[in-house]
Amino acid sequence: MPSPCAPNPLHALPADLLADLVSVSKATLQKWEASGKITPYWDAHGQKCYDLRPLADFPDVAAMLQSDWAAESQVRPTRPYTSIELFAGAGGLAAGLEQAGFQAVALNEFDKHACATLRQNRPDWPVIEGDIRTVDFSPWAGVDFLSGGFPCQAFSYAGHQRGFADTRGTLFFEFARAIQATQPKVFLGENVRGLLAHDDGKTLATIQAAITELGYTLVPPKVLKAMLYRVPQKRERLMLVGIRNDLLPYAEFSWPTPYHTVLTMRDALKAGELYPCDVPASAGQSYPARKAEILSRVPQGGYWRDLPDDLQREYMKGSYHLGGGKTGMARRLAWNAPSLTLTCAPAQKQTERCHPEANRPLTVREYARVQTFPDDWAFAGPVSSQYKQIGNAVPVNLAAAVGRRLVALLNHIEAHASAACLSPEKPATPTASPAQLSLFA
């Protein structure tokens, strides 16, 4: 029988969220429940929940139970740290880094609508609109920090161990060129999880070789689950942090610890923990009448397989007979779960992101809330471009959590390095080796 005594809410999650957290199926949770490994209870909303503590052997669960979120949230820069952002998009990463305490001195972006978004929200940010290949970064030599989400591209000579030269012709080369020109103390690169295995690992190996050649040591890359950092979305991003070699003796870095719970679509769209009011009305796309009628039959959290067979055949057409789950098709989100990863087009058949109750895609403002943009962050351009800008962004709260750890790293360097060590023209002889980075969390 379910336990009538609920554990501390900070130590519990609904069944669906727990399955996502530990990357197992709901059937596995049921087996654990039957064996007595976990004990269920029902919360005030009638949701089936489990105590996290018996699953503390799972790294994400252990990190959540031992979270230092409150203390990490209080970290502030000991002095203003200047930053450059590349591939800035609509400003998700930049807004989060700003919340952490960084001061942007330059942002580069190619898309004209995204540039208009940046200028509209932060008129004081120096936005460089145009192709990164044409930008001279030398005026910002000595900047404290550089960041950017370079696209994942294969390298023509990957695996030949030519280092920096291997990357020529790609946008990572431009990212590396900016590092070479500005010599930041620390840099952050972010990318899709797939970069880890891209081109059988050769792409990441070439990036690591290029970073080494530039005089930086890469902290072991880490995939961060956005839903662990106050983001109501199942989104994963690969983070790359590099530290200039002359500063390694003074470096101390750890990744952010998770928030104490996982937030959901209800947190995103309703007044509560994330926002003080319900989501404001805004523009958005709509479905054709027949599509809306079919989607009205899909339950919360469901997709095309939850439809009657005749509607499955009508909706899926030839895809009905093909293999694969196609779980993004006719997909309705659920109030009690985080959103699936937002895409650039919520109304497309392959990447449906239907509102939990209404028979329509999420609106622009709802999209922005799932990415934890502030409600006053406006987006420029046509609605299709606004969706694309938001879908491509780094969630603001994830960026802020990582940014606070980077501020803590720079604070530590600032406190322990001499003035001579802080100058890239007078690098100190390192007394630390890349192996020491294994000490970092």
Side-chain angles (χ1 to χ4, degrees):
M1 291 294 292
S3 169
C5 300
N8 185 333
L10 299 184
H11 298 152
L13 279 181
D16 289 352
L17 301 189
L18 181 58
D20 286 330
L21 182 64
V22 298
S23 300
V24 301
S25 67
K26 296 176 188 176
T28 298
L29 290 184
Q30 292 170 352
K31 290 179 182 177
W32 290 349
E33 179 183 329
S35 70
K37 181 175 182 177
I38 54 177
T39 303
Y41 75 95
W42 271 257
D43 67 10
H45 301 289
Q47 291 187 94
K48 188 177 186 179
C49 298
Y50 292 102
D51 192 337
L52 291 175
R53 288 170 293 185
L55 300 176
D57 51 331
F58 286 86
D60 285 339
V61 173
M64 186 175 287
L65 291 172
Q66 300 164 11
S67 176
D68 285 329
W69 183 274
E72 291 177 9
S73 295
Q74 300 304 311
V75 171
R76 298 291 182 270
T78 53
R79 67 167 178 82
Y81 293 130
T82 56
S83 66
I84 294 175
E85 172 128 2
L86 311 179
F87 316 106
L93 181 57
L97 293 173
E98 179 188 59
Q99 289 181 13
F102 286 97
Q103 295 188 2
V105 295
L107 301 93
N108 174 237
E109 171 56 41
F110 180 78
D111 183 84
K112 65 178 182 180
H113 298 307
C115 287
T117 293
L118 294 172
R119 294 185 179 113
Q120 182 174 349
N121 290 285
R122 292 292 183 271
D124 57 327
W125 279 357
V127 176
I128 306 167
E129 181 175 345
D131 190 335
I132 191 173
R133 297 174 181 88
T134 67
V135 179
D136 174 13
F137 291 102
S138 59
W140 295 283
V143 71
D144 293 307
F145 176 73
L146 183 145
S147 62
F150 56 89
C152 181
Q153 297 171 285
F155 300 126
S156 299
Y157 304 101
H160 292 188
Q161 297 182 340
R162 297 181 182 176
F164 190 33
D166 272 356
T167 71
R168 192 174 298 276
T170 68
L171 291 176
F172 171 76
F173 175 84
E174 303 303 325
F175 183 80
R177 181 177 66 85
I179 293 172
Q180 186 179 52
T182 60
Q183 291 290 291
K185 298 174 180 66
V186 176
F187 71 80
L188 169 69
E190 68 87 24
N191 216 292
V192 296
R193 180 194 183 105
L195 179 61
L196 286 172
H198 190 259
D199 198 12
D200 296 323
K202 295 175 184 176
T203 300
L204 184 57
T206 303
I207 287 172
Q208 290 173 316
I211 288 169
T212 298
E213 184 179 328
L214 292 174
Y216 287 77
T217 293
L218 191 66
V219 175
K222 187 175 179 69
V223 174
L224 298 183
K225 297 179 180 179
M227 71 177 188
L228 297 181
Y229 303 98
R230 295 189 81 234
V231 177
Q233 183 185 179
K234 300 173 186 178
R235 190 184 194 99
E236 296 182 335
R237 301 302 294 181
L238 177 66
M239 299 291 174
L240 308 173
V241 171
I243 303 169
R244 211 173 65 211
N245 285 344
D246 60 298
L247 302 178
L248 276 180
Y250 318 104
E252 185 175 287
F253 177 77
S254 61
W255 296 103
T257 57
Y259 192 53
H260 62 75
T261 191
V262 175
L263 302 182
T264 67
M265 284 298 295
R266 179 172 281 105
D267 296 298
L269 304 190
K270 302 293 186 180
E273 187 169 347
L274 270 180
Y275 294 93
C277 62
D278 289 355
V279 62
S282 68
Q285 295 177 343
S286 60
Y287 296 136
R290 181 56 179 162
K291 183 172 182 176
E293 186 179 349
I294 292 175
L295 280 166
S296 71
R297 304 286 296 276
V298 178
Q300 283 191 41
Y303 66 118
W304 68 275
R305 288 195 181 276
D306 294 298
L307 293 166
D309 186 69
D310 60 325
L311 292 183
Q312 288 185 27
R313 293 172 182 271
E314 177 185 347
Y315 190 82
M316 299 299 290
K317 296 183 171 58
S319 297
Y320 177 86
H321 301 285
L322 300 178
K326 297 177 277 294
T327 58
M329 300 181 75
R331 188 63 183 254
R332 184 183 291 279
L333 303 175
W335 285 121
N336 295 328
S339 169
L340 301 181
T341 301
L342 294 189
T343 66
C344 294
Q348 283 189 358
K349 196 169 185 178
Q350 297 286 348
T351 56
E352 226 82 72
R353 295 295 181 263
C354 186
H355 186 277
E357 292 179 5
N359 299 316
R360 58 167 176 76
L362 296 179
T363 65
V364 166
R365 203 71 258 161
E366 290 166 345
Y367 234 53
R369 277 202 170 188
V370 171
Q371 289 279 54
T372 59
F373 278 99
D375 280 342
D376 61 359
W377 196 273
F379 298 91
V383 168
S384 59
S385 175
Q386 294 180 38
Y387 277 122
K388 181 178 179 181
Q389 291 174 53
I390 299 168
N392 281 332
V394 177
V396 176
N397 283 357
L398 173 61
V402 174
R404 288 190 290 268
R405 302 315 303 148
L406 293 166
V407 165
L409 167 61
L410 287 167
N411 284 348
H412 197 273
I413 291 172
E414 194 80 9
H416 293 85
S418 68
C421 292
L422 290 173
S423 171
E425 289 77 24
K426 299 180 180 179
T429 301
T431 58
S433 70
Q436 287 181 300
L437 290 177
S438 63
L439 301 176
F440 297 168

